[in-house]
């Protein structure tokens, strides 16, 4: 798999992780009436989880995006 494809998949997976985690927390907070839809609290939840996901994605990127010896040989 070339590096561009691997990068696109990596970012896509992190977007899904961010969306799922923040939506679950948002659902819990909305059902607990801690804030309302469209409020600053809701925006802060998604922004905070987005920042956390971005930090984790960068920290873990070396593990998943490094070239391996199998990737050096390509079938053109």
């Amino acid at each position: 798999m070339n590096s561009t494809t691997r990068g696109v998949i990596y970012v896509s997976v992190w977007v899904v992780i961010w969306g799922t985690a923040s939506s679950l927390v948002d659902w819990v907070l909305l059902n607990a009436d801690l804030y309302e839809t469209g409020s600053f609290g809701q925006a802060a939840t998604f922004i905070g989880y987005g920042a956390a996901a971005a930090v984790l994605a960068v920290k873990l990127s070396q593990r998943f995006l490094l070239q391996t010896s199998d990737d050096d040989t390509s079938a053109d």
Side-chain angles (χ1 to χ4, degrees), residues 16-71:
V16 170
I17 290 169
W18 162 69
T20 303
S22 58
S23 292
L24 287 172
V25 170
D26 179 55
W27 178 75
V28 169
L29 295 174
L30 283 171
N31 284 332
D33 291 327
L34 292 176
Y35 58 65
E36 295 181 11
T37 302
S39 67
F40 174 76
Q42 189 174 35
T45 298
F46 281 89
I47 291 168
Y49 272 82
V55 168
L56 283 172
V58 169
K59 288 191 176 279
L60 297 173
S61 64
Q62 292 296 321
R63 180 177 294 175
F64 295 100
L65 297 177
L66 285 178
Q67 290 281 71
T68 62
S69 60
D70 295 338
D71 294 334

